Amino acid sequence: MIREHALRNGKIIPEEKACLPITNREVQFGFSTYESIRVIEAHPVHLEDHLIRLGNSCKGIGLEHPFTQQELSSWVHELIRVDMLEEASVRILLVGGKEPLCFITASPLLTYPDAYYTHGVGAITYEGERLMPSCKTGNLLLNYMALEKARGSGGFEALLIDRKGQALEGTRSNFFAFRDGRLYTAKDEDVLLGVTRERVIQAAKVLGIEVVYQAPQAKDLQQGLYDELFISATSMAAMPLSSLDGKAYKPPFDRTNAISALVRSWELET
Amino acid sequence: MIREHALRNGKIIPEEKACLPITNREVQFGFSTYESIRVIEAHPVHLEDHLIRLGNSCKGIGLEHPFTQQELSSWVHELIRVDMLEEASVRILLVGGKEPLCFITASPLLTYPDAYYTHGVGAITYEGERLMPSCKTGNLLLNYMALEKARGSGGFEALLIDRKGQALEGTRSNFFAFRDGRLYTAKDEDVLLGVTRERVIQAAKVLGIEVVYQAPQAKDLQQGLYDELFISATSMAAMPLSSLDGKAYKPPFDRTNAISALVRSWELET
């Protein structure tokens, strides 16, 4: 892996030139959408799904651009080829406006210690609602602040609680919780439709677990009505929670890890 | 006016190098604060107030940085001097993180035709709540989308309506409305504490107008319970509305223009 280049509107540039002009109004307003794609064995995992979601994000916020899905796909492959990326995280960023910008950049693949999966990770709850929850945009201050608060108390993730008291999703993950053998998660329209979330739901079905689209109430989580919690994301697959707001959940997290293993096994399928 | 330079962490750089690295996490999350300052006769108007608000915005979102108010002030003056700025809009941008960034850039002064003040400008209402309303941050997608909608119908501004039905503020302005001779505006804690808003309130007091800190309800505006509306901002002073969601308001807007004249007259005071 070299990681020396980036693409700007389809043209290869040195990575240090991948930057956003401060005087650009759309940069100032965060009028942008993005996707982060896992590259494994030089293969961009579920690229088509990411590109479809990118299109939906643009549609959702009214960001018009001239780049076709085929172009975006070929540019991702070009960066993988030019920089010989075997394992990496590739980011596609679209900035709207009169002269839309598309940047494709790479960074080291995010990986986590095995212990995170065997022992779980800590999380907190954080009150706040994302604007346009189904769109992946540059409007991420809530996510940033919530995650900073989690990290400040040694945690790994913050779950966002909406005005109805529902635990909808994490700042960079979707959220799932088991209760009486069923797997609960938020309704599609209330959260980011995670590419990995979709696989988690498929995996649960393969394992014979019923999925219920109803977000857990924060107060029910606090009262211990759910017995195994996990978060999902491209970089994490399914990662168990060892605690939420100090309430502990004990290993083994067999159901979560079975789902995680299945989700990972599907990564190299095209 | 040359407008060829910018400052990055206090160092003069060519303007085209004033750009944000895409792989910087704080850039990706919009973990940033900013101020836009009007420069008139080479004088940065109410600079100290803007720097105090910038400090409050940073405190509000937890953005720590090493730049003192004195440094920021001297850098603004340096850009004015180096590029011989007589009239301009100067922007200070702070990006948080492990290595905080400060950029100071200039753009042409925003001015509006006299007709905007004599005939007023059109506005619409738009449902949505800003995160951290008292902080001026890079989390501006709601503002962008609301303003795009206003412009799409030929309007000049969109007023944001909160979940209680209150018209709190515009996407880049504060909002005021006259009713029975009193001037109504949102409570301090619900809106951006505009540097110009403060002057508008002072001007109203000088003119003997009672100011009531109670945001107009959108439904009361629709029913015509208010008889003169205006928005305020650094670039606008006080600008009258000729319509809101199609409901017309007729000139002359004497009270608004009297306030505007007073606010402008204070710009060159130090």
Side-chain angles (χ1 to χ4, degrees), chain A residues 18-20 22 25-26 28-29 31 91 103 131-132 137 139-142 144-145 147 151 163, chain B residues 18-22 25-26 28-29 31 91 103 131-132 137 139-142 144-145 147 151 163:
Chain A
C19 69
L20 300 167
I22 288 175
R25 185 168 166 263
E26 281 68 28
Q28 293 172 351
F29 281 76
F31 187 59
R91 186 179 170 95
F103 285 94
L131 181 70
M132 312 287 297
T137 74
N139 204 64
L140 293 168
L141 183 60
L142 174 69
Y144 190 94
M145 289 172 60
L147 185 54
R151 288 177 171 171
R163 66 187 77 173
Chain B
C19 69
L20 300 167
I22 287 173
R25 184 167 167 262
E26 282 68 28
Q28 293 172 351
F29 280 77
F31 186 60
R91 186 178 170 95
F103 286 95
L131 181 69
M132 312 287 297
T137 74
N139 203 64
L140 293 168
L141 183 60
L142 174 69
Y144 190 94
M145 290 173 61
L147 185 54
R151 288 176 172 172
R163 66 187 78 175

Side-chain angles (χ1 to χ4, degrees), chain A residues 1-252:
Chain A
M1 178 163 86
I2 315 178
R3 240 184 59 239
E4 282 187 348
H5 297 94
L7 283 96
R8 182 185 186 282
N9 293 3
K11 301 275 176 284
I12 292 275
I13 56 171
E15 201 203 28
E16 66 268 22
K17 294 219 167 154
C19 69
L20 300 167
I22 288 175
T23 48
N24 177 309
R25 185 168 166 263
E26 281 68 28
V27 169
Q28 293 172 351
F29 281 76
F31 187 59
S32 58
T33 58
Y34 74 101
E35 284 293 325
S36 291
I37 298 134
R38 205 171 139 84
V39 174
I40 303 288
E41 297 181 19
H43 169 73
V45 174
H46 308 316
L47 176 59
E48 199 172 324
D49 287 8
H50 283 284
L51 292 174
I52 290 170
R53 186 171 65 180
L54 186 64
N56 289 337
S57 296
C58 289
K59 201 183 248 180
I61 66 168
L63 192 162
E64 292 177 11
H65 65 82
F67 314 113
T68 65
Q69 204 164 309
Q70 288 80 354
E71 281 175 317
L72 295 173
S73 173
S74 72
W75 297 343
V76 167
H77 283 285
E78 192 171 351
L79 186 60
I80 291 172
R81 189 182 55 75
V82 168
D83 276 0
M84 296 183 274
L85 303 175
E86 278 295 316
E87 296 206 325
S89 174
V90 165
R91 186 179 170 95
I92 307 176
L93 172 69
L94 291 174
V95 182
K98 279 181 192 155
E99 293 178 12
L101 295 169
C102 170
F103 285 94
I104 299 176
T105 52
S107 55
L109 185 69
L110 262 178
T111 58
Y112 303 104
D114 286 346
Y116 283 26
Y117 295 90
T118 50
H119 297 127
V121 294
I124 61 165
T125 56
Y126 192 96
E127 283 183 26
E129 296 183 359
R130 285 176 56 232
L131 181 70
M132 312 287 297
S134 65
C135 300
K136 216 167 160 75
T137 74
N139 204 64
L140 293 168
L141 183 60
L142 174 69
N143 302 49
Y144 190 94
M145 289 172 60
L147 185 54
E148 280 299 298
K149 191 173 176 201
R151 288 177 171 171
S153 61
F156 178 82
E157 179 60 302
L159 303 182
L160 300 174
I161 311 298
D162 75 357
R163 66 187 77 173
K164 295 178 193 158
Q166 303 180 101
L168 292 181
E169 60 189 333
T171 67
R172 55 198 161 133
S173 62
N174 288 110
F175 173 60
F176 293 84
F178 285 100
R179 178 175 177 175
D180 301 329
R182 294 191 191 88
L183 184 58
Y184 288 77
T185 197
K187 292 191 182 72
D188 282 2
E189 58 265 34
D190 291 340
V191 295
L192 191 72
L193 294 177
V195 168
T196 298
R197 172 180 183 266
E198 204 45 56
R199 265 76 189 177
V200 163
I201 290 165
Q202 279 178 36
K205 287 178 183 164
V206 168
L207 295 168
I209 299 165
E210 184 187 344
V211 177
V212 183
Y213 292 89
Q214 184 187 308
Q217 285 284 321
K219 67 172 170 36
D220 292 344
L221 289 162
Q222 197 50 47
Q223 285 174 16
L225 302 190
Y226 294 82
D227 52 21
E228 188 171 327
L229 317 181
F230 69 88
I231 52 180
S232 74
T234 291
S235 65
M236 302 170 196
M239 186 176 283
L241 297 188
S242 58
S243 70
L244 181 63
D245 289 338
K247 179 174 171 42
Y249 294 86
K250 292 204 168 50

